[in-house]
Amino acid sequence: MTPAARVQAAIEILDQVQAGTVAERALTNWARKSRFAGSKDRAAIRDHVFDALRQRNSAGFLGRGSDGRALMLGVLRAKGETLEEVFSGAAYAPAVLQAGEAIAPAGEAPLDLPDWLIDPLQESLGAAFERTAEGMRHRAPIVLRVNLAKTSVTHAQHALESEGILTAPMAMVETALNVLEGARRIKQSKAFLEGLVELQDGASQAMVAALPLRDGMKVLDYCAGGGGKSLAMAGRVPRATYFAHDVDANRMQDIAPRSKRAGAKIGLLNAPVEAAPFDLVLCDAPCSGSGTWRRTPDAKWRFTEEALRDLVAVQAEILDASQALVKKGGALCYATCSFLRAENTDQIDAFMQRHPEFTLEWQRSYGFDDGGDGFFGAVLRRA
């Protein structure tokens, strides 16, 4: 495909997203219908679509509209591309520029955030708001977690480099490797298939590294999903006993093959109360995902005030249910991939009012300045 044809494909996909289709689904549907497109074509089109969604407000301003064509016009204009070469009207290329489209608009582009979220994010982020808002307009780093139960960081780097995957250590946590080159080779690499590394953001790794884990503990990952936190804990302290639970058991279907690859043992529980009490219970709660919107930018535009209220209520229910599984003297960890205070420190404050038998050991927010996604973690100790 020509560069212009890739832009036209992105325009068509963006129109579907703007009509309500989730971006990943729209991309998958296009790929299935477009067998002529090679892997480089699909990757380039995906990049176009996600760049436009990260910058939807400013791209729409620069492109003088809100449809896929306007968004791609705005993205390319922001990059300083020669628009006439792309919007040429040639075969499979976008139609030629109209008179109004050829002229850049005057004025300042709006923030690339839903209007209702600006105040809550400013209140939550303080001085980091502007840097974070700008960060959301750009791609997130691709980060690997080294499985210390199987290898060392240095050996993992050498193994990856031998397959054309170049990495650099990250200061925020010793197990994190920032992928500099060869990201699309990761899942087919020997290092990945043999469980030496896993894909996991650095902030998530840093939170796990701060947990009070030790040999012999009995640990429950209460909202386990695909088991990423369970695997990270087992990679750091393999001589503990790990269990995973999720209200939707189907979300845990990847845990068995992933734990086998990693050389970890993780038991799956439908009713964790039957195995209680636990020394440590981790609740990586469902949340807005605002800390990961660089990776899922269309979620930013679908998120609503009502959804936030619903999530805050669910998070409180999860904390109340999971605390009952913690033994005396044990720890309860609460985590989100959110920047919003309502989901983070406000939740902890409210929980401690409901459960005064718990004391706060630490809480920390991670942001883009730290090198990873937005993340929040807190550890509470039962008396």
Side-chain angles (χ1 to χ4, degrees), residues 220-221 224 227-235 242-245 255 264 266 282:
L220 172 65
D221 187 354
K229 304 296 188 306
S230 300
L231 292 169
M233 290 189 289
Y242 296 98
F243 297 93
H245 164 76
I255 292 180
I266 300 172
L282 168 62

Side-chain angles (χ1 to χ4, degrees), residues 176 201 287 301:
D201 179 68
C287 68
W301 306 108

